[in-house]
């Protein structure tokens, strides 16, 4: 996996059961549900652009946590009941993750069910926009407000956040 700017797509052999997949692109027995980019478009406020690459971003999606990965937040919200996990406040209470054990269960599920493809791109934000416009990508929320699953997925993620905010802060060892 190259350490360059680009676009990546997440395919799932067994998607979470709530996700509508009928119109999604299929490849090698798996279903494309999400695309992402790295880095995001350069800020217009004069700040320096992100130095993330597709390698660093994909690794974070696989091994990071829900606070830094919208894909992990989405998958964990969809799979919470199946995996026995729930979003929770950690650290100082402002970060929301699935906790150490929950994030590990989610990583294990992704290793078993998810596959990622990528392509380098000098301006990945332009290609991402085209992909979201031309494909049914139920797990993409940004730029996809008209998607048929958008409101249901947004509500599910909001419910996870609301429940987490009612719970005590989990201190990490």
């Amino acid at each position: 996996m190259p350490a360059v700017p680009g676009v990546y797509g997440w395919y799932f052999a067994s998607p979470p059961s709530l996700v509508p997949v009928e119109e999604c692109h299929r490849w090698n027995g798996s279903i494309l549900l999400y695309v992402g980019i790295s880095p995001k478009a350069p800020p217009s406020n004069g700040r320096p652009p992100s130095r993330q690459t597709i390698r660093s971003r994909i690794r974070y999606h696989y091994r990071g946590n829900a606070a830094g990965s919208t894909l992990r937040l989405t998958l964990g919200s969809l799979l919470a009941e199946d995996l026995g996990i729930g979003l929770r406040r950690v650290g100082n209470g402002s970060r929301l993750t699935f906790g150490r054990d929950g994030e590990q269960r989610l990583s294990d599920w992704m290793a078993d069910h998810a596959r990622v493809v990528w392509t380098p791109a000098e301006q990945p934000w332009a290609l991402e926009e085209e992909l979201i416009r031309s494909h049914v990508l139920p797990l993409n929320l940004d730029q996809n407000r008209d998607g048929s699953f958008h409101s249901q997925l947004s509500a599910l993620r909001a419910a996870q956040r609301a429940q987490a905010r009612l719970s005590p802060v989990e201190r990490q060892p």
Side-chain angles (χ1 to χ4, degrees):
M1 188 177 332
V4 298
V7 177
Y8 48 88
W10 287 85
Y11 285 85
F12 296 85
S14 287
S17 60
L18 290 175
V19 180
V21 298
E22 297 77 30
E23 296 179 39
C24 297
H25 174 19
R26 295 167 190 268
W27 174 73
N28 252 8
S30 294
I31 304 165
L32 178 65
L33 299 179
Y34 180 83
V35 296
I37 61 171
S38 191
K40 57 186 174 183
S44 57
N45 62 5
R47 289 189 177 179
S50 169
R51 291 191 311 229
Q52 281 195 337
T53 65
I54 51 178
R55 179 189 299 165
S56 65
R57 196 69 193 133
I58 290 169
R59 280 185 178 169
Y60 197 87
H61 283 311
Y62 260 127
R63 299 183 194 151
N65 61 56
S69 166
T70 189
L71 177 62
R72 289 183 74 85
L73 173 61
T74 292
L75 290 172
S77 295
L78 287 164
L79 296 165
E81 193 171 312
D82 294 342
L83 299 180
I85 63 175
L87 205 57
R88 60 196 73 234
R89 296 184 305 148
V90 298
N92 67 7
S94 64
R95 293 181 61 239
L96 301 177
T97 75
F98 292 102
R100 183 167 299 194
D101 292 341
E103 294 289 355
Q104 185 58 57
R105 285 186 217 154
L106 183 55
S107 293
D108 293 345
W109 185 91
M110 289 175 72
D112 290 342
H113 300 280
R115 300 296 174 258
V116 64
V117 297
W118 63 86
T119 188
E122 285 301 313
Q123 295 185 344
W125 48 91
L127 183 52
E128 178 192 40
E129 185 178 314
E130 172 62 29
L131 289 168
I132 290 171
R133 190 172 47 248
S134 63
H135 289 74
V136 174
L137 298 162
L139 301 189
N140 279 85
L141 291 176
D142 187 38
Q143 303 179 55
N144 200 16
R145 290 201 180 277
D146 294 330
S148 64
F149 192 55
H150 187 279
S151 61
Q152 187 178 353
L153 180 55
S154 295
L156 188 61
R157 288 172 33 138
Q160 280 286 324
R161 284 188 184 108
Q163 184 62 41
R165 289 189 178 105
L166 296 174
S167 303
V169 175
E170 181 179 292
R171 302 286 178 206
Q172 298 288 330

